Amino acid sequence: MGNKATGLLLFLYPFALAANASGEALYALCALASITAVEELAIQLTPTRHDGDRPSLFSKEPVR
């Protein structure tokens, strides 16, 4: 879910930059990308067995 939100913000970034010349949108994009990357790293490091269908660090059961 976080990767999709990051992709959406990355797609919308040029429009936000054109509307508002400040770097606030870039800071939000970088913050979300960093949080998503940390979550993905935690997903890879925490399980005792591999579960390729695990969508999030906070989910117990894979979505089917």
Side-chain angles (χ1 to χ4, degrees):
M1 181 71 178
N3 288 333
K4 292 180 182 181
T6 302
L8 178 66
L9 282 179
L10 185 60
F11 175 75
L12 294 175
Y13 176 69
F15 302 111
L17 187 61
N20 184 5
S22 70
E24 293 171 356
L26 181 60
Y27 292 131
L29 176 62
C30 289
L32 182 63
S34 297
I35 291 168
T36 302
V38 168
E39 181 188 21
E40 290 291 326
L41 179 64
I43 287 172
Q44 295 297 320
L45 294 178
T46 57
T48 56
R49 63 178 177 82
H50 177 70
D51 185 5
D53 293 329
R54 188 175 181 185
S56 174
L57 180 64
F58 305 108
S59 65
K60 300 289 184 197
E61 296 293 324
V63 176
R64 305 246 179 219

